[in-house]
Amino acid sequence: MADPVGVLDRYYLAITLLVTIGYQLLGFAIAWTFQFDKITDFTGGSNFFILALLTLLMGQEFNARNIVTSVFVMAWATRLAGFLLFRVLKTGSDTRFDEIRSHFFKFMGFWVGQILWVWVVSLPLTVLNSPAVTRLGQPAFGTASDILGIILWAIGWSIESVADLQKYRHKASNPPKDRPIDVGLWAWSRHPPYFGEILCWWGIWTLSIAPSLQGEPTGSARSAQLGALVSPLFTMVLLLFGSGLPTAEKPVAQRFYNMSYPKDSIGSDAGSRDASDPSNRPRNAAWANYQAYRAQTSILLPMPPVVYRALPQWIKRTVLLDLPMYAWTPREKEY
């Protein structure tokens, strides 16, 4: 077996950051020059694939653990990048960028955020494949953390993949516009792909940690592997409080409300309406359908609606993370 390639530091932190910066800035230059969104998400997903393959080959450690973890990341990245590219090619553009695409610094800000996302979330694999960990030897593949990591990743990847496929097929079937998607996994969770993604990265970190739990790493190597816990935590924070649930929940709620009350673009307290006034009556059942769906469907963790409905509100708020910040009411301005 060849010696690992040492580049800039023993943990491959600098080289992976430089590669990510270069790749994302190239993507930004193309997207800004041609003012389109075709490669934006594809560049993010494919960056994970590049870092996984690069660190595996540079580290020259073809232990089953390194190979499996690298393949898992590459499989996750391939599915994500491929699906998002297919979706944007079908739709023609990404409405998320309509207000920033023509503003240089605002648009660049998205790409800088993508640099941070890719590099931080890739840390468990980056450190696992680095000479600082591989040169000290590893426990045989098949430890409890290996098995748990594989299970978490497999469940997460399956949920994410199936949920995206179910949503695509549902939209292609021309469903009623006044009803939220409630087929398959979407009947058990309002955002199953987010739950699947969180599980995937907990699985990757758990799969990568065996050298520090049962091997003989140096103190700095163990600290680096434990510090890579920032990857699944960052994923959770991003999806729970950043570009995930907060930007998905409120626009959907407002869209269904405006279907029922199209003149009420800003909204007023629905409870204060005079139901005898024809102008205050809903045009359709869209808002009522959405409220019913939201009341019986977990925001993240998939579970049967009959179970979710029966749970007390404090469990939904604290354990299942259906926080008040995600709710949109007709009193609020447009989101």
Side-chain angles (χ1 to χ4, degrees):
M1 183 181 295
D3 292 332
V5 178
V7 185
L8 300 178
D9 65 79
R10 297 185 304 130
Y11 296 99
Y12 291 157
L13 301 179
I15 185 60
T16 52
L17 179 59
L18 290 175
V19 168
T20 301
I21 290 173
Y23 188 61
Q24 293 302 316
L25 290 184
L26 174 62
F28 167 70
I30 295 172
W32 168 256
T33 300
F34 296 100
Q35 287 291 291
F36 69 179
D37 313 317
K38 303 296 189 298
I39 65 168
T40 305
D41 286 326
F42 175 81
T43 308
S46 59
N47 203 153
F48 283 95
F49 187 101
I50 292 171
L51 295 189
L53 184 60
L54 178 67
T55 56
L56 178 65
L57 295 179
M58 289 197 307
Q60 287 294 304
E61 176 62 49
F62 301 111
N63 177 288
R65 180 176 297 105
N66 296 75
I67 294 174
V68 170
T69 310
S70 299
V71 168
F72 278 4
V73 171
M74 288 188 281
W76 178 86
T78 300
R79 192 211 68 83
L80 178 68
F83 174 75
L84 295 179
L85 178 62
F86 172 78
R87 187 176 67 180
V88 76
L89 289 175
K90 291 283 287 184
T91 59
S93 65
D94 192 329
T95 56
R96 293 176 301 166
F97 304 109
D98 287 349
E99 296 182 1
I100 67 172
R101 192 183 299 111
S102 60
H103 299 276
F104 182 87
F105 290 107
K106 289 182 179 180
F107 195 37
M108 188 177 186
F110 169 84
W111 291 84
V112 171
Q114 193 152 264
I115 290 171
L116 180 65
W117 171 57
V118 172
W119 186 76
V120 170
V121 176
S122 294
L123 283 175
L125 181 59
T126 298
V127 174
L128 174 66
N129 285 339
S130 71
V133 173
T134 59
R135 68 173 184 166
L136 299 174
Q138 300 188 46
F141 184 68
T143 66
S145 60
D146 293 331
I147 296 171
L148 178 59
I150 290 172
I151 292 172
L152 288 174
W153 184 89
I155 294 174
W157 191 82
S158 299
I159 289 175
E160 197 173 359
S161 302
V162 170
D164 280 340
L165 180 60
Q166 288 174 337
K167 187 172 185 178
Y168 173 76
R169 287 181 172 176
H170 179 73
K171 286 187 173 182
S173 68
N174 295 318
K177 294 185 180 297
D178 64 348
R179 298 190 66 85
I181 175 174
D182 58 356
V183 298
L185 288 168
W186 298 87
W188 286 29
S189 170
R190 305 204 297 272
H191 302 282
Y194 292 162
F195 179 73
E197 184 170 342
I198 290 170
L199 276 189
C200 278
W201 287 103
W202 275 110
I204 293 297
W205 180 78
T206 304
L207 184 55
S208 73
I209 200 65
S212 287
L213 296 180
Q214 299 184 27
E216 298 180 358
T218 63
S220 60
R222 178 180 286 110
S223 296
Q225 284 212 291
L226 294 176
L229 179 64
V230 69
S231 167
L233 291 177
F234 183 83
T235 300
M236 289 186 66
V237 170
L238 186 66
L239 293 179
L240 291 174
F241 305 108
S243 62
L245 295 181
T247 61
E249 278 284 294
K250 290 190 175 184
V252 170
Q254 185 181 339
R255 176 163 58 87
F256 281 102
Y257 178 83
N258 286 338
M259 286 184 195
S260 292
Y261 303 98
K263 294 182 180 180
D264 205 355
S265 60
I266 295 180
S268 59
D269 185 359
S272 66
R273 287 193 176 90
D274 180 5
S276 63
D277 185 346
S279 65
N280 287 335
R281 295 174 185 171
R283 295 282 183 87
N284 51 53
W287 180 236
N289 290 339
Y290 175 77
Q291 288 179 304
Y293 173 73
R294 196 174 188 279
Q296 70 179 18
T297 311
S298 170
I299 191 169
L300 198 62
L301 177 66
M303 64 173 57
V306 65
V307 174
Y308 184 77
R309 278 196 304 266
L311 293 175
Q313 191 68 15
W314 68 269
I315 291 183
K316 294 178 181 178
R317 291 277 191 261
T318 59
V319 178
L320 300 180
L321 302 176
D322 199 345
L323 305 175
M325 64 178 287
Y326 302 136
W328 183 87
T329 66
R331 296 180 181 182
E332 297 184 43
K333 295 182 179 180
E334 290 196 6
Y335 188 79

